[in-house]
Amino acid sequence: MADLLRRTSEEFARLRERHEVGRRWSETKRFIHPQAGEPALYCQLLPDPDQGQSLLIFTATPGTESQEKLALLTVLGTDHFATPSE
């Protein structure tokens, strides 16, 4: 597949030649939750090379709407709330 992409995409070929392959250690992710809306959370990856596992930690920037939405999720927990179609 990489060979096909390299032949058909100049951009892919250029990026592939840079050999910048690696793991992203952090990034912002957006979630869609039926009650809390769409919080933007900072995702941090903590690898444990000895165990071959990784832990993802999601946090919100203090004082933001996303922090309020994340706090709402701690209250909602795993409760199920009926939607109008139910």
Side-chain angles (χ1 to χ4, degrees):
M1 184 66 161
D3 289 335
L4 174 63
L5 285 170
R6 197 176 349 192
R7 288 192 307 269
T8 58
S9 169
E10 261 183 52
E11 181 182 16
F12 180 84
R14 185 177 65 254
L15 292 171
R16 176 101 171 157
E17 289 304 313
R18 289 166 53 183
H19 297 288
E20 292 182 359
V21 178
R23 185 180 280 186
R24 288 186 172 175
W25 299 106
S26 62
E27 175 177 325
T28 300
K29 301 202 181 282
R30 294 191 175 277
F31 294 87
I32 298 174
H33 190 276
Q35 285 82 33
E38 297 183 27
L41 302 177
Y42 181 73
C43 174
Q44 189 173 15
L45 175 68
L46 301 176
D48 180 356
D50 296 333
Q51 298 293 321
Q53 300 176 27
S54 297
L55 174 66
L56 291 175
I57 298 175
F58 294 95
T59 56
T61 302
T64 63
E65 186 178 340
S66 290
Q67 183 186 28
E68 292 173 11
K69 291 177 180 182
L70 189 58
L72 175 61
L73 287 175
T74 64
V75 174
L76 294 174
T78 58
D79 291 342
H80 177 73
F81 296 88
T83 60
S85 62
E86 293 181 323

